């Protein structure tokens, strides 16, 4: 049943991506409410399906609008198929729309990459506007194209099917474990993470070694949940803490997600002999999370 729901959401994203306009990028503020009424799933169920699609390389998820509490802007996600031809077609659409809108606003027509170079350093000024939307999507589509070309083997249909089936099996196993008596539970979250999953792919290795300068771009491409899982598994608590202290990660939703993931890691301390070695770093990360939450 879960797989059917996941594929229903995926087909809806494909249908949206097939449009020949800027509406082709499915937006969480518009796409999800329509999908709720169309297929009868709740917001949380659709969000879960989207996370599964992202974690199994079927779609890219990114911020169309970044949250800005001072300006009253709520975070809006965008969803696009991880297909090279789709990315290139959408990139062509958004490049054209960006140059046209730039010409309308500034009275001159210049090549799209000159537009991007000029506007990108001031992207926060345009956040939430039509120009900002086209600028952000144009940049991210280029990043996704590069990521797909660099790790093409991770985005083949056979690999996507393999990742999806593996993740669905893991979810089913976790469901069975949660319904079983506590004393019968043999495998911890950390032990399960050591299996052959997306974390063990070149993408996971790239994330775990991300420098501070690339964390924001990494989060845009791969998502905050995947970023957390990779670095928690590698005991890279300081990498996550740096992202929080630099305000790269600063939404209540993302911080609460990390708090919950840290809680699960701590419950398995006795079963992970290496974790106590990193206890001080983990405590510093926890403090950073609580400090950030206190100011939201």
């Amino acid at each position: 049943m879960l797989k059917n729901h996941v594929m229903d959401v995926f087909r809806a994203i494909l249908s949206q991506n097939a449009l020949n306009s800027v509406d082709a990028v499915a937006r969480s503020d518009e796409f999800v409410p329509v999908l709720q009424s169309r297929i009868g799933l709740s917001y949380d169920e659709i969000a879960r399906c989207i996370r599964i699609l992202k974690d199994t390389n079927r779609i890219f998820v990114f911020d169309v609008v970044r949250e800005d509490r001072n300006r009253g802007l709520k975070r809006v996600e965008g969803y696009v198929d991880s297909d090279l031809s789709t990315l290139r077609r959408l990139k062509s659409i958004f490049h054209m729309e960006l140059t046209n809108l730039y010409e309308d606003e500034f009275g001159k027509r210049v090549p799209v990459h000159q537009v991007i170079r000029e506007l990108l350093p001031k992207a926060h000024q345009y956040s939430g506007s039509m120009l900002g939307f086209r600028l952000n999507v144009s940049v991210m589509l280029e990043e996704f194209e590069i990521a797909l070309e660099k790790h093409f083997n991770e985005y083949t249909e056979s690999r996507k099917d393999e990742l999806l089936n593996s993740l669905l099996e893991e979810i089913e196993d976790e469901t069975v474990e949660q319904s079983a008596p506590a004393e019968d539970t043999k495998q911890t979250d950390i032990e399960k993470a050591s299996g052959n999953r997306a974390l063990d792919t070149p993408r996971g290795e790239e994330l775990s070694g991300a420098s501070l300068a690339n964390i924001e771009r990494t989060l845009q491409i791969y998502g905050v949940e995947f970023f957390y899982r990779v670095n928690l598994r590698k005991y890279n608590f300081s990498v996550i803490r740096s992202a929080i202290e630099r305000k790269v990660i600063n939404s209540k939703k993302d911080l609460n997600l990390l708090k919950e993931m840290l809680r699960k890691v701590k419950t398995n301390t006795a079963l992970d002999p290496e974790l106590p070695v990193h206890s001080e770093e983990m405590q510093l990360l926890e403090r950073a999370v609580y400090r950030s939450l206190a100011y939201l």
Side-chain angles (χ1 to χ4, degrees), residues 78-142:
Y79 315 121
V80 294
D81 180 21
S82 60
D83 171 75
L84 190 57
S85 62
T86 299
L87 292 175
R88 287 173 174 168
R89 181 178 60 81
L90 293 180
K91 185 179 73 172
S92 177
I93 292 172
F94 273 85
H95 278 185
M96 178 66 71
E97 290 287 339
L98 179 60
T99 54
N100 288 343
L101 189 57
Y102 179 90
E103 183 178 16
D104 290 343
E105 293 205 13
F106 298 98
K108 58 181 179 179
R109 190 168 188 86
V110 297
V112 66
H113 289 98
Q114 184 175 331
V115 173
I116 293 173
R117 281 197 303 271
E118 178 183 332
L119 298 183
L120 194 57
K122 302 176 288 185
H124 66 282
Q125 297 179 17
Y126 303 105
S127 183
S129 68
M130 290 191 297
L131 186 63
F133 169 59
R134 287 155 176 77
L135 172 64
N136 190 43
V137 175
S138 294
V139 171
M140 293 313 303
L141 289 174
E142 289 187 359

Side-chain angles (χ1 to χ4, degrees), residues 123-175:
H124 66 282
Q125 297 179 17
Y126 303 105
S127 183
S129 68
M130 290 191 297
L131 186 63
F133 169 59
R134 287 155 176 77
L135 172 64
N136 190 43
V137 175
S138 294
V139 171
M140 293 313 303
L141 289 174
E142 289 187 359
E143 294 286 353
F144 296 147
E145 183 180 359
I146 293 170
L148 197 151
E149 290 174 340
K150 184 176 181 180
H151 300 300
F152 183 76
N153 290 337
E154 292 299 313
Y155 295 91
T156 63
E157 290 304 312
S158 59
R159 179 58 174 161
K160 292 174 186 177
D161 288 341
E162 178 187 346
L163 290 172
L164 179 60
N165 291 332
S166 176
L167 183 54
L168 290 175
E169 287 177 7
E170 180 181 332
I171 292 172
E172 183 178 350
D173 289 343
E174 288 179 352
T175 302

Side-chain angles (χ1 to χ4, degrees), residues 185-246:
T185 301
K186 301 292 186 181
Q187 194 177 30
T188 69
D189 289 342
I190 293 176
E191 289 171 324
K192 282 183 286 187
S194 65
N196 183 23
R197 296 183 52 202
L199 297 185
D200 298 310
T201 67
R203 183 173 76 160
E205 292 301 319
E206 178 184 340
L207 281 176
S208 65
S211 67
L212 289 180
N214 291 326
I215 285 178
E216 186 168 359
R217 184 174 66 88
T218 300
L219 286 167
Q220 285 272 17
I221 296 174
Y222 300 119
V224 70
E225 185 175 358
F226 196 89
F227 176 80
Y228 286 159
R229 288 196 290 120
V230 169
N231 284 294
L232 288 175
R233 181 184 166 224
K234 300 288 186 180
Y235 310 106
N236 291 337
F237 301 111
S238 60
V239 172
I240 304 175
R241 178 163 56 87
S242 296
I244 293 172
E245 291 176 345
R246 287 163 55 104

